[in-house]
Amino acid sequence: MSAGDGRLYAPATERNRAPILAVLEPLLLEGSVLEVASGTGEHATWFAARLPALRFVPSDPDPAHRASIAQWTRALGVTNVAPPLDLDATAAEWTLPAAELARLRAVICINMIHIAPWQATEGLMRNAAAVLPPGGVLYLYGPFRRGGQHTAPSNAAFHESLRAQNPAWGVRDLEAVQAQALAHGLATGQVTEMPANNLSLVLRRA
């Protein structure tokens, strides 16, 4: 949906942003937070308004999404949101502004890995591990399978609808995501059950 001024709306954002913030707030204490696949920009700008001590660096490869992020930043009047970056999770290497890289403490990625090919998850892990400092956090949110099983019938139906749109998409196995993270030096921290059969996954760079 669109507001007519370039701002895009994702209905799920209003439902999940408060529970996500409750998990993130104790983890994000200082520095910059890079958001990968920011989409409409609603999450980054809403979080920024409530965590003024942090600087949020949104990113998205889609020009329409970057325009929406910029418009949301202006509409909310938040001053701790950087101009959105043109960043692709699958890139061989992420190029971040030196000032942002120096103070980067966390990378967040919300509702991406199931609507992207597996290469996006691989790239996310590889690149996050490369830019995060020791102890830095990578946070993921979305639906996951556990032990090879969907956690709810609605997630199974969602998986089938994603596969129908693109066979490379789908709800990922939590264990496969954790293994990919560990291969790049990102150890699993907490796994939190969230509303609507989603999970929060916290990973830390060793």
Side-chain angles (χ1 to χ4, degrees), residues 11 18 22-23 31 49 55 68-69 95 105 111 115 118 121 145 150 155-156 162 184 186 193 198 203:
V23 176
R55 179 170 169 83
S68 177
I69 296 164
T95 301
R105 297 294 180 272
N111 281 331
I115 52 172
W118 180 248
T121 300
R145 291 183 296 202
H150 290 288
N155 280 11
L162 291 172
H184 293 284
L186 298 166
E193 293 188 3
N198 291 305
L203 303 160

Side-chain angles (χ1 to χ4, degrees), residues 40-134:
T40 65
E42 293 169 273
H43 276 129
T45 52
W46 194 82
F47 294 155
R50 285 150 185 82
L51 300 172
L54 300 174
R55 179 170 169 83
F56 284 82
V57 185
S59 71
D60 203 282
D62 186 333
H65 286 166
R66 294 197 300 275
S68 177
I69 296 164
Q71 285 296 97
W72 273 110
T73 302
R74 283 190 282 270
L76 296 181
V78 285
T79 59
N80 55 329
V81 177
L85 301 177
D86 181 359
L87 201 69
D88 191 326
T90 64
E93 183 179 17
W94 291 346
T95 301
L96 303 180
E100 306 296 0
L101 183 60
R103 57 193 173 196
L104 186 69
R105 297 294 180 272
V107 176
I108 63 176
C109 185
I110 297 168
N111 281 331
M112 182 204 69
I113 65 173
H114 56 282
I115 52 172
W118 180 248
Q119 288 85 348
T121 300
E122 295 173 330
L124 175 67
M125 301 302 176
R126 180 182 66 251
N127 285 303
V131 299
L132 282 171

Side-chain angles (χ1 to χ4, degrees), residues 125 136-140 178 181 186-189 201-205:
M125 301 302 176
V137 168
L138 171 60
Y139 171 85
L140 303 181
Q178 291 172 315
L186 298 166
T188 299
L201 172 62
V202 176
L203 303 160
R204 287 189 182 273
R205 186 182 165 202

